[in-house]
Amino acid sequence: MSDRFDAIVAELAKQKIELPSWAFGNSGTRFKVFGTPGTPRSVEEKIADAATVHRYTGLAPAVALHIPWDTVDDYSALRDYAAEQGVALGTVNSNTFQDDTYKFGSLTHSDPDVRQQAIDHHFRCIDVMNATGSRDLKIWLADGTNYPGQGDIRSRQDWLHESLQTIYDRLGDDQRMVLEYKFFEPAFYHTDVPDWGTSYAQVSALGDKAMVCLDTGHHAPGTNIEFIVAQLLRLGKLGSFDFNSRFYADDDLIVGAADPFQLFRILVEVVRGGGYANPDVAFMLDQCHNVEDKIPGQIRSVLNVQEMTTRALLLDREALTRAQHEHDVLGANEIFMDAFYTDVRGDLAEWRESRGLPANPMAAYAASGHQQRIENERVGGTQAGWGA
Ligand code: AOS
Ligand code: ZN
Ligand code: ZN
């Protein structure tokens, strides 16, 4: 391995990426959900698939759950099962976007009884966290309106604060809430948590255990996402990422597939803000594999994050800072781009082998026969999820 790589390997070894359970379920679009052979039929099989990704990459030691898609009778037993597979249970994601009750909103609904029902759902999510030992409750709200005049935009912010405060007050000392924003969809006129500023304002009003979740697919085209990352890290309020990539909207494609340079720029700010040593930031994927096999899709995803993280760690910050202070525009840009253009695949392959991992996890998985085995074994039925 190169000397440059050796110098950053200790930092790179801290990288942990949390996989979403729903990445292993069947997903799709509003037009069609295509099932794929080998799709998990239970929460346990989803966890087993996530553990397979971790076994091939060493990058994914935790699985995020989604309630109610990952409902089981005994979450402590599920926690033990996950541990046997070699992974931990991570973030608990709530869902107030699929019940008819929430047609006109959940935590922001004008009817206090509906708000209470949504609050009670989050209380149940916290009960799950208490059983699984999870730190984070992730709240993403589909709440919003489709037409001007449909709802009282300002009152909805007040109702949202009251609802979030009630949930926040139920969190344990070692638990957090991460509030995720999204500029549109499924609401088309206004979304009640549309941008980082709203999430920041709402979580700041709650306290230290409330943070912002940044989903990389949740911004208008052309948004400078790395600016938001730098600002939230500077403010101490970046709690988690939902990594994915998009060409047009919230496409939930493999992270880095649409714009590896944007992923690199985001990770440069992550490294600048403490990198994977920063205990405040959870690095989660939030992706759906509509047409590709799911386990290799997740392997590809975590490898993309690892590769761009490696390049970000190679950025010569001392030289860059000197060039910036000297207003050496072209020199600074060249230093920045040099890190991005550095091909780190050979070093990473060598490093993986030195740690008992396959040099090329994608090729190793393809050659393993594992996909064929699960396709032969898993006949009949699939797990609840986006498209179930
Ligand atoms: C929806 O668009 C958001 O990205 C959510 O983070 C995510 O898909 C959800 O958490 C799954 O419940
Ligand atoms: Zn998300
Ligand atoms: Zn999303």
Side-chain angles (χ1 to χ4, degrees):
M1 292 175 286
S2 66
D3 292 344
R4 287 178 78 195
F5 185 86
D6 285 341
I8 59 115
V9 76
E11 194 59 29
L12 188 61
K14 295 172 187 168
Q15 185 163 45
K16 293 182 174 64
I17 300 165
E18 195 171 322
L19 304 185
S21 65
W22 58 91
F24 299 99
N26 282 324
S27 314
T29 67
R30 62 181 175 170
F31 303 102
K32 170 69 177 170
V33 175
F34 291 101
T36 46
T39 297
R41 299 157 300 177
S42 65
V43 181
E44 289 78 3
E45 289 184 345
K46 284 196 255 186
I47 290 171
D49 287 0
T52 300
V53 174
H54 186 47
R55 245 189 343 272
Y56 277 84
T57 64
L59 290 167
V63 189
L65 295 180
H66 179 284
I67 304 302
W69 298 342
D70 297 322
T71 296
V72 295
D73 295 332
D74 184 340
Y75 288 98
S76 299
L78 189 69
R79 178 182 179 176
D80 295 342
Y81 172 79
E84 290 161 15
Q85 299 298 313
V87 293
L89 297 180
T91 303
V92 172
N93 294 260
S94 67
N95 180 330
T96 53
F97 54 86
Q98 289 184 307
D99 291 40
D100 291 342
T101 315
Y102 303 131
K103 182 176 180 180
F104 297 111
S106 60
L107 295 179
T108 68
H109 199 286
S110 55
D111 180 343
D113 291 342
V114 174
R115 296 201 300 271
Q116 187 57 55
Q117 183 175 327
I119 290 167
D120 291 344
H121 167 72
H122 287 90
F123 284 169
R124 287 192 297 278
C125 290
I126 293 172
D127 291 343
V128 171
M129 293 163 68
N130 294 335
T132 59
S134 301
R135 175 182 70 168
D136 288 350
L137 167 63
K138 190 172 96 185
I139 301 178
W140 168 69
L141 301 175
D143 293 29
T145 59
N146 282 359
Y147 297 98
Q150 176 186 339
D152 181 337
I153 293 175
R154 176 169 176 167
S155 294
R156 292 168 75 103
Q157 289 300 309
D158 296 334
W159 295 326
L160 175 60
H161 168 68
E162 290 165 16
S163 301
L164 290 175
Q165 186 69 66
T166 306
I167 297 166
Y168 181 88
D169 292 343
R170 178 69 67 97
L171 290 171
D173 293 342
D174 299 327
Q175 294 173 337
R176 306 187 313 174
M177 167 196 294
V178 288
L179 179 62
E180 184 178 356
Y181 63 89
K182 181 173 182 179
F183 79 118
F184 93 107
E185 188 194 40
F188 294 118
Y189 164 62
H190 103 278
T191 296
D192 289 301
V193 188
D195 52 38
W196 76 269
T198 302
S199 177
Y200 177 74
Q202 287 286 352
V203 299
S204 298
L206 299 176
D208 294 342
K209 297 187 297 187
M211 308 286 273
V212 176
C213 170
L214 186 157
D215 183 307
T216 52
H218 285 188
H219 305 83
T223 301
N224 185 326
I225 298 174
E226 61 271 24
F227 173 84
I228 300 169
V229 172
Q231 185 70 276
L232 287 174
L233 284 169
R234 177 179 162 274
L235 295 167
K237 275 296 185 183
L238 180 59
S240 66
F241 281 98
D242 271 5
F243 277 132
N244 49 60
S245 72
R246 40 76 61 85
F247 287 98
Y248 302 99
D250 184 24
D251 308 336
D252 279 356
L253 296 175
I254 288 173
V255 56
D259 187 346
F261 183 41
Q262 178 190 67
L263 178 59
F264 169 78
R265 301 195 311 268
I266 288 169
L267 290 164
V268 163
E269 292 308 326
V270 166
V271 169
R272 175 98 166 69
Y276 287 88
N278 182 341
D280 289 346
V281 185
F283 295 87
M284 227 185 92
L285 301 180
D286 174 17
Q287 296 177 184
C288 296
H289 300 291
N290 295 356
V291 294
E292 67 272 21
D293 285 335
K294 299 145 171 61
I295 293 174
Q298 288 287 283
I299 291 174
R300 179 74 270 153
S301 300
V302 297
L303 294 179
N304 286 357
V305 177
Q306 182 183 52
E307 188 170 338
M308 288 305 138
T309 301
T310 307
R311 296 188 190 189
L313 286 167
L314 289 175
L315 176 61
D316 184 342
R317 292 220 68 97
E318 281 181 27
L320 181 63
T321 304
R322 272 197 310 276
Q324 289 169 343
H325 289 178
E326 292 162 6
H327 306 295
D328 177 1
V329 173
L330 296 179
N333 178 254
E334 184 175 353
I335 292 162
F336 195 91
M337 297 311 292
D338 175 66
F340 174 60
Y341 287 130
T342 302
D343 186 348
V344 296
R345 288 173 294 180
D347 279 333
L348 283 173
E350 208 179 317
W351 183 50
R352 291 187 193 111
E353 283 192 311
S354 71
R355 296 162 66 225
L357 294 165
N360 180 335
M362 288 293 286
Y365 180 78
S368 70
H370 184 87
Q371 187 65 34
Q372 289 67 33
R373 278 194 299 278
I374 61 175
E375 290 180 13
N376 295 336
E377 288 164 9
R378 297 175 185 175
V379 176
T382 57
Q383 252 295 300
W386 274 115

